[in-house]
Amino acid sequence: MADSSSSLLPLCERISHKSYILRIVDLTILVLLFSLLWYRILHMCENNTIWLVAFLCESCFSFMWLIITCIKWSPAEDKPYPNRLDERVHDLPSVDMFVPTADPVREPPIIVVNTVLSLLAVNYPANKLACYVSDDGCSPLTYFSLKEASKFAKIWVPFCKKYNVRVRAPFRYFLNPLVATDDSVFSTDWKMMKREYVKLCRKVEDATGDSHWLDADDDFEAFSNTKPNDQSTIVKVVWENKGGIGDEKEVPHLVYISREKRPNYLHHYKTGAMNFLLRVSGLMTNAPYMLNVDCDMYANEPDVVRQAMCVFLQNSKNSNHCAFVQFPQNFYDSYTNELVVLQHYMKRGVAGIQGPIYIGSGCFHTRRVMYGLSSDDLEDDGSLSSVATREFLSEDSLARKYGSSKELVKSVVGALQRKSNPQKSLANLVEAAQEVGHCHYEYQTSWGNLGWLYDSVAEDTNTSIGIHLRGWTSSFISPDPPAFLGSTPSVGTEAIVQHRRWATGSIEVLFNKQSPLIGFRRKIKFRQRLAYFWVLMCIRSIPELVYCLLPAYCLLNNSALFPKGPCLGIIVTLVGMHCLYTLWQFMILGFSVKSWYVSQSLWRIIATSSWLFSIQDIILKLLGISKIGFIVAKKNMPETRSGYESKPSQGEDDGLKLELGKFEFDSSCHFIPGTFIMLVNLAALAGFLVRLQRSSCSHGGGGGSGLAEACGCISVVMLFFPFLKGLFEHGKYGIPLSTLSKAAFLTVLFVVFSVGK
Ligand SMILES: O=c1ccn([C@@H]2O[C@H](COP(=O)(O)OP(=O)(O)O[C@H]3O[C@H](CO)[C@@H](O)[C@H](O)[C@H]3O)[C@@H](O)[C@H]2O)c(=O)[nH]1
Ligand SMILES: [Mn+2]
């Protein structure tokens, strides 16, 4: 497919972001941390157990910084040149696009529709694309919305292509008013499109909550008497691209699928849905590449598929070894931006080692790799080696691995050998697709060990490590403007629950077969292993929690926590440098000081709530007391969230967004640690002030606590500021009385314990 002449310009380049200054800063912080540890060791005998506790916590922080420094040492990313694709590649490969959704209430169908429309309209030959929506909610409303969307797509896709529209998710596009133009045809088209989109929204809205249309249409019969955990497989070809003429030929295939669910079967949440998508798409279109996005993550860059293809189709040996191309996850409603900044530095760092970690959305996978191939199984030209041919293509092993469907096995063989599927009408494949959606289809097969990997709710990290362990590399592309944009849950319970799931899933990976801690002869690079280990570092919640309480304990107990005299300079420089460094990281990406502060605060809150409770989840799972579930994150549309027009770019800190960033509380256990930390530190500061008044010796002379510890408490109060505000607010922004009383009780115990010692 790709032209082999080497004189042409490359499709893709690796850009190194190595910076000696940043390396020096990272190393200086590391040296300061180790000096602090050394100081603690030297003065261990003169101090009490608190000194030892502080030493242990700081050892953990230093170890983490060491890992972070290793990961960020040689950052890189790939830069694609999609404009060169046409002269180099005459026949673009097909791409199957997967959109999983699970809950029509938490994931309103109009959001899913927008994501689907943005994918159907990308700049890529329509007959090379197919979009599959998997619905774990088995919702007739979602199916209805997709049917309506496919009709709208027939005018929307040609409109986008004709006027080279940049943002192809209609809700986003129509947030901006029509710009004054001389082109009256465009104005007319624009107005017509907007009218049609409003009509589509109204139809979906009217259908919500009103189910009589369900009975009227035979097409919805399959949805009657179903429940999300008790239903038969449903496969519906919403739109089939048969070539033909006119605008309709521009709309790619659109298929709705919902797998069988029965109460006593494990369904593996999103991971199970992804494997079903993999099988159905294998049967129907069998594209060699697959894009996977979450249902809220619309394509914000029409060239995104072409960008990914630049990596896969470049003519180097390495491109045969690239298993997936990952784009960052960006958000249209993020007011904290902490994930964006984290991704920017850490993802680029990992990208410079063996390749970025798969993050569940915005990723192009290679089908062959998902079917279980290792990088060793390929010859230099990309064909299967003879050993791999024996291992993968024997009839016996095919059925054992991929299940009993003959059609599926045939398609797997085709995919492994890079042969395209014989063209068949999708409608004729519905029965075979239904077969591979049965609850028991995966029974006694390798699904879950191949495809997307089971045994962790963070299926992305789990699947990713499986791929890197088999020797594959991956590629990171981070275009500007962002390739995909989605929704983040509001700060408060929703965000905390989401981080708790991520953390729990990450720890699950630690105990899996693919654990980065075991198997030292596997084909993964050492620093890549560290990168996975860093993902699992949510275990650091315990030292973080302890460290937030230490200054208060020392003030109450009148014991020293920090070094005295000139050596206090180590801590001061360390904190100062770290603050300036992280602030710089935010500002260089265009974010404000306030956004930096909110993020620092949020990370501490997540560490002492989400990550802490994830440890509890894991312990309960190991004891067999409870199972770990997947609570779908709530998705919001800008209109419903703000009722105000906002622009797609990130990093805006307008008043509106910060107002939205207000912390929300509820009576769940998640807010007890934060409230407790806040109360304890306030109590310690109050005690300190009383002490100051009583004695003239304000610096806590001798070996006791003093101003340094008080500053420690003030920093903690600042980091947990939303809780201080929550003490005085009402409604969802106030801390509920039940949480407050539990935290107050714990605070009294803590104070009595500290003072009494
Ligand atoms: O039983 C389920 C649960 C979820 N989903 C879908 O999975 C996607 C991700 O779910 P979401 O609630 O948005 O999770 P996030 O925490 O926002 O997602 C991140 O984290 C997940 C792992 O915890 C990854 O799977 C995601 O890709 C990644 O974006 C959504 O499209 C859901 O509809 C299903 O299809 N079936
Ligand atoms: Mn999400």
Side-chain angles (χ1 to χ4, degrees):
M1 275 180 290
D3 198 317
S4 59
S5 68
S6 53
S7 59
L8 291 171
L9 292 165
L11 285 178
C12 172
E13 262 171 350
R14 165 105 352 164
I15 312 224
S16 165
H17 292 289
K18 233 183 266 174
S19 156
Y20 288 103
I21 297 179
L22 292 188
R23 282 184 182 179
I24 291 171
V25 177
D26 282 333
L27 287 178
T28 313
I29 291 180
L30 200 60
V31 169
L32 285 168
L33 279 165
F34 282 121
S35 331
L36 180 63
L37 292 182
W38 184 236
Y39 180 87
R40 292 232 185 257
I41 292 173
L42 290 180
H43 294 82
M44 195 65 83
C45 311
E46 306 144 32
N47 288 283
N48 53 16
T49 33
I50 276 303
W51 201 257
L52 178 66
V53 176
F55 173 77
L56 292 176
C57 293
E58 286 154 1
S59 307
C60 175
F61 302 147
S62 311
F63 177 60
M64 266 158 42
W65 193 261
L66 177 67
I67 291 189
I68 290 175
T69 308
C70 285
I71 300 171
K72 291 199 310 186
W73 199 247
S74 49
E77 71 185 287
D78 289 324
K79 183 167 172 40
Y81 297 98
N83 296 340
R84 297 175 189 167
L85 204 55
D86 294 323
E87 63 185 64
R88 295 287 303 268
V89 182
H90 311 304
D91 187 18
L92 287 167
S94 312
V95 178
D96 289 338
M97 306 182 286
F98 300 161
V99 182
T101 180
D103 182 338
V105 177
R106 293 178 73 79
E107 305 179 324
I110 194 71
I111 292 190
V112 184
V113 158
N114 268 281
T115 303
V116 167
L117 286 169
S118 74
L119 294 179
L120 294 179
V122 289
N123 283 336
Y124 206 73
N127 62 347
K128 293 290 172 73
L129 293 176
C131 180
Y132 295 86
V133 179
S134 146
D135 180 15
D136 273 346
C138 185
S139 154
L141 181 63
T142 304
Y143 174 52
F144 170 80
S145 310
L146 289 173
K147 272 177 75 166
E148 292 302 321
S150 77
K151 292 178 204 158
F152 176 72
K154 283 166 207 157
I155 50 174
W156 174 247
V157 179
F159 171 80
C160 291
K161 292 192 176 164
K162 179 173 174 193
Y163 295 108
N164 198 16
V165 169
R166 211 196 59 72
V167 182
R168 298 185 181 183
F171 87 93
R172 202 76 219 182
Y173 181 66
F174 291 120
L175 276 183
N176 296 324
L178 176 63
V179 224
T181 162
D182 294 339
D183 186 347
S184 64
V185 185
F186 171 70
S187 302
T188 323
D189 282 358
W190 191 96
K191 284 179 195 148
M192 187 270 289
M193 286 310 311
K194 175 142 191 184
R195 254 195 327 272
E196 289 301 317
Y197 178 61
V198 171
K199 247 195 242 168
L200 169 68
C201 293
R202 191 154 313 134
K203 272 190 201 161
V204 172
E205 210 168 288
D206 290 348
T208 315
D210 171 14
S211 59
H212 75 263
W213 48 270
L214 244 176
D215 313 322
D217 192 337
D218 284 350
D219 199 14
F220 292 91
E221 207 184 315
F223 293 92
S224 51
N225 302 323
T226 59
K227 292 193 200 117
N229 69 342
D230 198 4
Q231 62 156 115
S232 308
T233 312
I234 303 176
V235 176
K236 300 255 181 204
V237 179
V238 181
W239 169 252
E240 181 165 357
N241 176 307
K242 292 183 175 147
I245 42 160
D247 291 344
E248 300 199 342
K249 75 172 190 301
E250 301 238 26
V251 182
H253 300 310
L254 176 58
V255 181
Y256 170 95
I257 63 176
S258 182
R259 61 207 161 113
E260 187 188 18
K261 298 260 188 68
R262 299 294 169 211
N264 295 326
Y265 276 86
L266 275 180
H267 301 295
H268 304 288
Y269 304 102
K270 179 188 166 187
T271 330
M274 293 311 295
N275 282 335
F276 180 42
L277 280 162
L278 184 57
R279 294 197 290 270
V280 172
S281 63
L283 283 169
M284 290 190 158
T285 40
N286 214 12
Y289 300 104
M290 304 166 295
L291 164 63
N292 143 229
V293 293
D294 287 351
C295 63
D296 54 325
M297 285 277 164
Y298 68 82
N300 186 52
E301 164 59 65
D303 257 344
V304 64
V305 182
R306 296 164 59 84
Q307 290 182 344
M309 287 310 128
C310 285
V311 175
F312 288 126
L313 302 179
Q314 63 177 318
N315 234 320
S316 75
K317 196 176 155 195
N318 190 41
S319 57
N320 273 331
H321 286 231
C322 177
F324 60 88
V325 177
Q326 177 69 61
F327 289 81
Q329 270 198 34
N330 291 296
F331 308 98
Y332 51 72
D333 56 1
S334 179
Y335 28 81
T336 52
N337 305 311
E338 80 285 359
L339 287 175
V340 176
V341 177
L342 182 80
Q343 283 187 84
H344 187 84
Y345 294 99
M346 297 309 277
K347 287 261 138 49
R348 274 180 171 188
V350 193
I353 311 171
Q354 194 170 340
I357 296 172
Y358 164 51
I359 50 172
S361 184
C363 187
F364 288 83
H365 281 284
T366 320
R367 189 178 287 274
R368 295 205 287 175
V369 175
M370 279 309 193
Y371 285 157
L373 285 188
S374 296
S375 59
D376 286 355
D377 293 330
L378 296 189
E379 301 290 356
D380 285 350
D381 64 355
S383 60
L384 279 191
S385 70
S386 49
V387 179
T389 309
R390 268 200 304 280
E391 189 196 327
F392 279 88
L393 298 187
S394 77
E395 226 164 88
D396 181 39
S397 111
L398 280 165
R400 205 179 55 241
K401 280 189 171 140
Y402 306 99
S404 55
S405 161
K406 294 222 164 49
E407 289 88 344
L408 179 68
V409 162
K410 221 188 282 170
S411 84
V412 170
V413 173
L416 291 175
Q417 296 180 327
R418 295 191 297 178
K419 287 184 194 142
S420 53
N421 259 18
Q423 282 285 324
K424 267 196 201 167
S425 160
L426 296 193
N428 296 338
L429 293 160
V430 169
E431 213 171 298
Q434 273 167 342
E435 185 192 334
V436 299
H438 287 317
C439 283
H440 54 255
Y441 185 79
E442 296 183 351
Y443 187 62
Q444 288 192 337
T445 65
S446 299
W447 288 102
N449 285 322
L450 54 83
W452 272 258
L453 307 189
Y454 296 150
D455 300 328
S456 165
V457 276
E459 89 299 333
D460 39 8
T461 313
N462 201 20
T463 305
S464 180
I465 196 166
I467 293 172
H468 285 133
L469 282 175
R470 280 181 280 140
W472 296 101
T473 62
S474 51
S475 160
F476 183 58
I477 305 182
S478 178
D480 185 23
F484 297 97
L485 285 176
S487 164
T488 35
S490 51
V491 278
T493 317
E494 286 284 339
I496 287 180
V497 168
Q498 184 186 42
H499 278 274
R500 177 174 174 173
R501 159 158 54 77
W502 290 347
T504 311
S506 303
I507 307 177
E508 280 181 298
V509 175
L510 195 69
F511 294 105
N512 277 351
K513 286 190 285 278
Q514 303 81 240
S515 170
L517 301 179
I518 55 170
F520 281 88
R521 283 169 58 199
R522 289 157 150 184
K523 283 171 269 181
I524 186 168
K525 291 189 179 164
F526 176 69
R527 284 201 299 138
Q528 187 77 14
R529 210 185 268 273
L530 283 186
Y532 281 105
F533 188 66
W534 172 77
V535 171
L536 307 173
M537 287 297 267
C538 33
I539 304 166
R540 69 178 180 246
S541 61
I542 293 173
E544 287 223 15
L545 175 71
V546 172
Y547 215 74
C548 288
L549 297 173
L550 279 182
Y553 175 88
C554 290
L555 269 195
L556 291 165
N557 186 247
N558 196 22
S559 50
L561 172 64
F562 299 119
K564 297 277 172 207
C567 290
L568 184 62
I570 304 178
I571 286 268
V572 177
T573 323
L574 192 56
V575 174
M577 235 178 127
H578 189 263
C579 285
L580 287 177
Y581 185 32
T582 46
L583 179 63
W584 172 83
Q585 287 183 330
F586 268 73
M587 298 193 69
I588 203 104
L589 293 181
F591 298 118
S592 67
V593 180
K594 179 146 190 180
S595 157
W596 165 77
Y597 167 65
V598 172
S599 292
Q600 300 305 310
S601 163
L602 208 66
W603 278 126
R604 301 289 75 73
I605 295 171
I606 285 166
T608 49
S609 57
S610 312
W611 296 353
L612 195 66
F613 287 103
S614 71
I615 297 178
Q616 175 197 311
D617 289 343
I618 290 292
I619 294 174
L620 292 182
K621 179 188 160 180
L622 290 178
L623 295 177
I625 295 173
S626 70
K627 289 201 176 98
I628 290 162
F630 191 125
I631 300 169
V632 174
K634 194 164 177 351
K635 278 100 183 160
N636 306 292
M637 269 218 159
E639 291 105 322
T640 49
R641 191 159 182 164
S642 62
Y644 183 77
E645 175 180 311
S646 55
K647 298 189 191 74
S649 67
Q650 300 177 23
E652 288 167 84
D653 261 347
D654 49 70
L656 178 88
K657 286 193 175 174
L658 290 173
E659 170 62 17
L660 287 167
K662 225 169 151 182
F663 210 86
E664 291 169 18
F665 296 93
D666 65 13
S667 53
S668 67
C669 55
H670 294 121
F671 301 103
I672 297 175
T675 315
F676 168 61
I677 291 172
M678 172 54 68
L679 292 180
V680 162
N681 279 281
L682 288 181
L685 283 171
F688 178 67
L689 286 180
V690 172
R691 188 145 61 93
L692 267 189
Q693 266 186 345
R694 283 209 198 129
S695 77
S696 53
C697 159
S698 63
H699 284 271
S705 59
L707 209 55
E709 285 72 18
C711 286
C713 283
I714 293 172
S715 315
V716 177
V717 170
M718 278 167 64
L719 285 171
F720 285 81
F721 195 67
F723 286 84
L724 187 60
K725 265 169 86 182
L727 290 179
F728 303 101
E729 296 260 5
H730 298 286
K732 63 178 182 180
Y733 299 123
I735 300 175
L737 201 63
S738 57
T739 310
L740 199 58
S741 37
K742 283 173 203 154
F745 175 68
L746 290 174
T747 307
V748 172
L749 288 185
F750 185 88
V751 171
V752 171
F753 170 74
S754 316
V755 176
K757 269 246 170 171

